[in-house]
Amino acid sequence: MKQETIKKLESRGVKIKDLVPILYDLQKPYIPELTMDQCEESILAVLDKRDIQHTILTGIALDELAEKGMLDEPLLSILRQDDGLYGIDEILALGMGTLYGTIGSTNFGYLDKVKPGIIKKLDTTPERVNTFLDDLVCGLVAAAASRLAHRNKDLKELNIKQSTD
Amino acid sequence: MKQETIKKLESRGVKIKDLVPILYDLQKPYIPELTMDQCEESILAVLDKRDIQHTILTGIALDELAEKGMLDEPLLSILRQDDGLYGIDEILALGMGTLYGTIGSTNFGYLDKVKPGIIKKLDTTPERVNTFLDDLVCGLVAAAASRLAHRNKDLKELNIKQSTD
Amino acid sequence: MKQETIKKLESRGVKIKDLVPILYDLQKPYIPELTMDQCEESILAVLDKRDIQHTILTGIALDELAEKGMLDEPLLSILRQDDGLYGIDEILALGMGTLYGTIGSTNFGYLDKVKPGIIKKLDTTPERVNTFLDDLVCGLVAAAASRLAHRNKDLKELNIKQSTD
Amino acid sequence: MKQETIKKLESRGVKIKDLVPILYDLQKPYIPELTMDQCEESILAVLDKRDIQHTILTGIALDELAEKGMLDEPLLSILRQDDGLYGIDEILALGMGTLYGTIGSTNFGYLDKVKPGIIKKLDTTPERVNTFLDDLVCGLVAAAASRLAHRNKDLKELNIKQSTD
C-alpha cells in the first residue's frame, strides 16, 4: 500500500523530493549534522506506517471526489471552498503528526500556518481541490520530523533498541 | 446544516430516537435524576456544533461512496471490509467525542467496543457499508454524554453562565 | 475555579492583558472588524471551561514543583531543562486548543513554534521553570481563536442559538 | 528511563505481570494464536517509547504529590476525589493509547470504563491517590494492544520491514 500512497501523492502533484527540503529546514536547527538523505529516509519510513497510508488515501479521495463533484451538498461546497472552519482535514493530519510523539503537533500546526514550499502551492491551486492534501503533507512532514528528533536522541543515548520499535 | 446532518443520519438508518436510550443508560448511573427528554435535548444540542456536523457528513459520505464503489483501491476494499486496522473512522469520531471535554474519550471507546442497541445493528448490516457510521454514532453519543456531565456539574455549582459557553 | 486559574497565571507572570494582542494579531486577518475587547472577552470565556481550568492548574503545578525540586528524577531534570522531546506539555495544551474545534490545533502549533510576545519571554526566563506555562498560554490563545472564528461564522449565519452552546 | 518507569509502576502497585492477562483477554479474540509471552513482550516494547515513559512518570508524580498533600487547592481536592470531570488523566492516557495508531482509542476507552483486573483495584484503593495511575495503565495496555494488532497484520503481510519502524 506504500507504493499506492506515494503514487497517489504524485498524481496530486506532491513528490517526496519536494518535502525533503521542508523537513530539512524544520529540523536542521535542532540536528546540525542532519542531511537531506536522512530527511528523505525519514519521510519514506513514515510512509511505511499503515495509519499514515490510510490517512493520506482517505484525505486525497475526498479531494478527488470534491473535484469531480461527486459529493452531496453542503459537503461539496465546503470542500471546494476549503471552508476555514472545516477541521476534518486538520484532525486527520494531526493524527499523522502525533503518531511519532506529541511534539509532532507543534510542527504540524506551524507548517499548516506558514505553508512553506510546495504546501503553499497546493493551497493555492485554483483548478484543483486540495483541501485535505496540503494538511496531509504538513502532517506527513511533521511525523517525519518527530521521528528524526526521537531517533537523534536515541542515537545519542546509544540506545538503538529503542529506535527499532 | 443541522437539518441536513439529521436527514443524512436518518437516510443511513439512524434516528435520534434510537440514540436517546443509549445516552440515558450511559449517564443515568452518574445523574440519577436524568430524563429521556434531557438526553434527546443534549444530542440535538451537540448536533448544533459545526465540527459535529462536518464530521458526520464527511464520514457518511465515505460510507456511501464505498457502497457505490466510487472509491479507488485499496481504500475501497478497506472500507467495504471495515478493516480493523483502519483507524480513520475512530479518529474522526474521537474528535467529536472530545469536543465537550476529554472525558468523552472514555465513553466513545466504551460504546465503540460494546456497541449497544442501534450501534451493533449498524456494525452488522451486510448489504451496507457503515464503516464510519457506527463510530460516528458512538462519537455523537459520547459528546452528548460529556455535555450532560459538565452541565449537571455546572447546575450543581449554580453557575449557569458557565453552561452557556 | 476561574478566578484561581487567572490568579495562578498571574502568579507565573501571565496577565490576560498580555494575551489579548497575541489573539488579536492571530485572528485580525480573518475577522477585519475584530476588536481588542472581543479578544479579551473570548479569552475570559474560554477560561470559564472546566477543562481549560484543570489543564492550566495541572500544568502550572508541575512547573512549580519542578522549580522547587519537589519531583523525582528523571522527571525533575526533564522539566527543568524543558527537554524538547518531552511532549506532555504539548499534549495538555493541544487538548485545550482543540476544545473549540480542531482548527485550534493549527493555531496552537503555530504559536508554540513562533512564540510571539509574552510567550517567548516565558520560554526564556532562566530562573523559572516554565516548561508547561508557555504551551498552556499557546493552547489558551488557540482555544480563544477557534471560539472567535466559530462565533464570527455563527453571527454571519444569524444563528445565535448555535453560538450559545 | 525504562527501568525507572517500571520501578515507579511497581512502587504504585502495578506489576507488568498484572497487565499481561488484561492485554491477552483484549486481543485473543482477534489473534487466536496469541500467547501470554507475546503480550508481555508487547507491553515491554511499548515501555521503550520515550513518550510512554514521560506520560507514566508525569501522571504518577501528580498522584504521589496529591497523596502527600503537596499540591495547591483546588487541584489537590480534585485529584484526591478523582473528580469525574477532571479529564487530564484521560488526555494523558489517550495520548499513550493512540501512539501505535488511532485504534488504541477504542481499547483505552473500553478498559477505562470496564476496569478489568488490577485496574479496578487501583481505582478503589481508598488510602491511595490513583487518579492518574488507573488511566495510565489503561493507556499502556491499549498501546500494547494496538502494537500487537498492527504487528499481527504486518506478519500476515510478510512485511517485517514495516514492523520494525
Side-chain angles (χ1 to χ4, degrees):
Chain A
M1 191 152 55
K2 181 183 185 178
Q3 290 317 312
E4 280 106 336
T5 305
I6 292 172
K7 277 204 198 67
K8 187 59 91 173
L9 281 167
E10 288 175 349
S11 77
R12 301 298 296 175
V14 177
K15 294 189 205 62
I16 303 304
K17 288 247 169 292
D18 302 325
L19 309 183
V20 171
I22 298 172
L23 176 55
Y24 182 84
D25 294 343
L26 199 63
Q27 287 307 99
K28 186 71 174 175
Y30 311 103
I31 310 175
E33 66 275 19
L34 185 65
T35 68
M36 288 282 187
D37 286 353
Q38 290 171 313
C39 292
E40 180 164 10
E41 184 272 337
S42 196
I43 293 167
L44 291 171
V46 166
L47 283 163
D48 277 325
K49 286 255 196 198
R50 194 174 283 110
D51 281 69
I52 299 283
Q53 296 161 0
H54 288 162
T55 308
I56 292 172
L57 293 173
T58 303
I60 291 179
L62 287 161
D63 280 345
E64 290 179 330
L65 292 158
E67 211 167 88
K68 296 178 193 160
M70 282 156 68
L71 296 171
D72 296 341
E73 291 295 357
L75 188 59
L76 180 59
S77 301
I78 290 170
L79 292 190
R80 284 189 159 175
Q81 299 155 18
D82 197 357
D83 179 340
L85 292 180
Y86 181 76
I88 310 303
D89 40 355
E90 272 92 1
I91 202 169
L92 285 194
L94 190 65
M96 296 168 68
T98 55
L99 209 53
Y100 285 86
T102 48
I103 57 169
S105 61
T106 306
N107 285 326
F108 164 69
Y110 174 74
L111 292 172
D112 197 38
K113 192 93 178 168
V114 174
K115 300 190 184 300
I118 179 84
I119 299 168
K120 182 72 192 165
K121 243 183 71 201
L122 296 174
D123 196 41
T124 55
T125 310
E127 69 282 1
R128 283 239 163 161
V129 175
N130 285 334
T131 294
F132 279 86
L133 187 59
D134 62 325
D135 295 286
L136 294 171
V137 168
C138 293
L140 175 59
V141 174
S146 294
R147 185 178 171 281
L148 274 176
H150 279 284
R151 299 218 153 199
N152 183 55
K153 182 81 175 283
D154 292 337
L155 290 170
K156 282 191 184 147
E157 295 174 0
L158 293 164
N159 191 344
I160 304 311
K161 177 179 59 52
Q162 205 158 354
S163 68
T164 60
D165 200 6
Chain B
M1 192 153 54
K2 182 184 185 178
Q3 289 317 312
E4 280 106 335
T5 306
I6 292 171
K7 276 203 198 68
K8 187 59 91 171
L9 282 167
E10 287 175 349
S11 77
R12 302 296 296 175
V14 177
K15 294 190 205 61
I16 303 304
K17 287 249 170 291
D18 301 324
L19 308 183
V20 170
I22 298 173
L23 175 56
Y24 182 83
D25 294 342
L26 200 63
Q27 286 308 99
K28 186 71 174 176
Y30 311 103
I31 310 174
E33 66 276 19
L34 185 65
T35 68
M36 287 281 187
D37 286 353
Q38 289 171 314
C39 292
E40 180 164 10
E41 184 272 337
S42 196
I43 293 168
L44 290 171
V46 166
L47 282 163
D48 277 324
K49 284 255 194 200
R50 195 174 282 109
D51 281 70
I52 298 283
Q53 296 161 0
H54 287 162
T55 307
I56 292 172
L57 292 172
T58 304
I60 290 179
L62 287 161
D63 280 345
E64 290 178 330
L65 292 158
E67 210 167 86
K68 295 178 193 160
M70 282 157 69
L71 296 171
D72 296 342
E73 290 296 355
L75 188 60
L76 179 60
S77 301
I78 290 170
L79 292 190
R80 285 188 160 176
Q81 298 155 19
D82 198 355
D83 179 341
L85 293 180
Y86 181 77
I88 310 304
D89 40 355
E90 272 92 1
I91 202 169
L92 285 194
L94 190 65
M96 296 166 68
T98 56
L99 209 53
Y100 284 86
T102 48
I103 58 169
S105 59
T106 306
N107 285 327
F108 164 70
Y110 174 74
L111 292 172
D112 197 37
K113 193 93 177 166
V114 173
K115 299 188 184 302
I118 180 84
I119 299 169
K120 182 71 191 167
K121 243 183 71 202
L122 296 174
D123 196 42
T124 53
T125 309
E127 68 283 1
R128 283 240 162 159
V129 175
N130 285 334
T131 294
F132 278 86
L133 186 59
D134 62 325
D135 295 287
L136 294 171
V137 168
C138 293
L140 175 59
V141 174
S146 294
R147 183 177 172 282
L148 275 176
H150 279 284
R151 300 219 152 196
N152 183 55
K153 183 81 175 282
D154 292 338
L155 289 171
K156 281 189 184 150
E157 295 174 1
L158 294 163
N159 191 344
I160 304 313
K161 177 178 58 53
Q162 205 157 355
S163 68
T164 59
D165 199 7
Chain C
M1 192 153 54
K2 181 183 184 178
Q3 289 317 313
E4 281 105 334
T5 306
I6 291 172
K7 277 204 197 67
K8 188 58 92 170
L9 282 168
E10 287 175 349
S11 76
R12 301 297 295 176
V14 177
K15 293 190 205 60
I16 302 304
K17 287 247 170 292
D18 302 325
L19 308 183
V20 170
I22 297 173
L23 175 55
Y24 182 83
D25 294 343
L26 199 64
Q27 286 307 99
K28 186 73 174 175
Y30 311 104
I31 310 174
E33 67 276 21
L34 186 64
T35 68
M36 288 282 187
D37 286 353
Q38 289 171 313
C39 292
E40 180 164 10
E41 184 272 337
S42 196
I43 293 167
L44 290 172
V46 166
L47 283 163
D48 277 325
K49 285 255 194 200
R50 196 174 282 109
D51 282 69
I52 298 283
Q53 297 161 359
H54 287 162
T55 308
I56 292 172
L57 293 172
T58 304
I60 290 180
L62 287 162
D63 280 345
E64 290 179 330
L65 292 159
E67 210 167 87
K68 297 177 193 161
M70 281 157 67
L71 295 173
D72 296 341
E73 292 294 359
L75 188 59
L76 179 61
S77 301
I78 289 170
L79 292 190
R80 284 187 160 177
Q81 298 156 19
D82 198 357
D83 179 340
L85 292 180
Y86 181 77
I88 310 304
D89 40 355
E90 273 92 1
I91 203 169
L92 285 194
L94 189 65
M96 296 167 68
T98 55
L99 210 54
Y100 284 86
T102 48
I103 58 170
S105 60
T106 306
N107 285 326
F108 164 69
Y110 173 75
L111 292 172
D112 197 38
K113 193 93 178 167
V114 173
K115 300 189 183 300
I118 179 84
I119 300 170
K120 182 72 192 165
K121 244 182 69 200
L122 296 174
D123 195 42
T124 54
T125 310
E127 69 283 3
R128 283 238 163 161
V129 175
N130 285 334
T131 294
F132 277 88
L133 186 60
D134 63 326
D135 295 286
L136 294 171
V137 168
C138 293
L140 175 59
V141 174
S146 294
R147 183 177 172 282
L148 274 177
H150 280 284
R151 300 219 152 197
N152 184 54
K153 182 79 175 285
D154 293 337
L155 290 170
K156 281 188 184 150
E157 295 173 1
L158 292 164
N159 191 344
I160 305 313
K161 176 179 60 53
Q162 205 157 356
S163 67
T164 58
D165 199 8
Chain D
M1 190 153 55
K2 181 183 185 178
Q3 290 316 312
E4 280 106 336
T5 307
I6 292 173
K7 277 203 198 67
K8 187 60 91 172
L9 282 167
E10 288 175 350
S11 77
R12 302 296 296 175
V14 176
K15 294 189 204 62
I16 302 305
K17 288 249 170 291
D18 301 325
L19 308 184
V20 170
I22 297 172
L23 176 55
Y24 182 83
D25 294 343
L26 200 63
Q27 287 307 100
K28 186 72 174 176
Y30 311 103
I31 310 174
E33 66 276 20
L34 185 65
T35 67
M36 288 281 187
D37 286 353
Q38 289 172 314
C39 292
E40 179 164 10
E41 184 273 337
S42 196
I43 293 167
L44 290 170
V46 167
L47 283 164
D48 277 325
K49 284 257 195 198
R50 192 174 285 109
D51 281 69
I52 299 283
Q53 297 161 1
H54 288 162
T55 308
I56 292 171
L57 293 172
T58 304
I60 291 179
L62 287 162
D63 280 345
E64 290 179 330
L65 291 158
E67 210 167 87
K68 297 177 193 161
M70 282 157 69
L71 296 172
D72 296 342
E73 290 295 357
L75 188 60
L76 179 60
S77 302
I78 290 169
L79 293 190
R80 284 188 159 177
Q81 299 155 18
D82 197 356
D83 179 340
L85 292 180
Y86 181 76
I88 310 304
D89 41 355
E90 272 93 2
I91 203 168
L92 285 193
L94 190 65
M96 297 168 68
T98 55
L99 209 54
Y100 285 86
T102 47
I103 58 169
S105 59
T106 306
N107 285 327
F108 164 68
Y110 173 74
L111 292 172
D112 197 36
K113 193 93 179 168
V114 174
K115 301 190 184 298
I118 180 83
I119 300 169
K120 182 70 192 167
K121 244 182 70 200
L122 297 173
D123 196 41
T124 54
T125 309
E127 70 282 2
R128 284 238 161 162
V129 175
N130 286 333
T131 294
F132 279 86
L133 186 59
D134 62 324
D135 295 287
L136 294 171
V137 167
C138 294
L140 175 58
V141 174
S146 295
R147 184 177 171 281
L148 275 176
H150 279 284
R151 299 219 152 196
N152 184 54
K153 182 81 173 284
D154 293 339
L155 289 169
K156 280 190 185 148
E157 295 173 1
L158 293 163
N159 192 342
I160 305 312
K161 176 180 60 53
Q162 206 156 355
S163 68
T164 60
D165 200 6

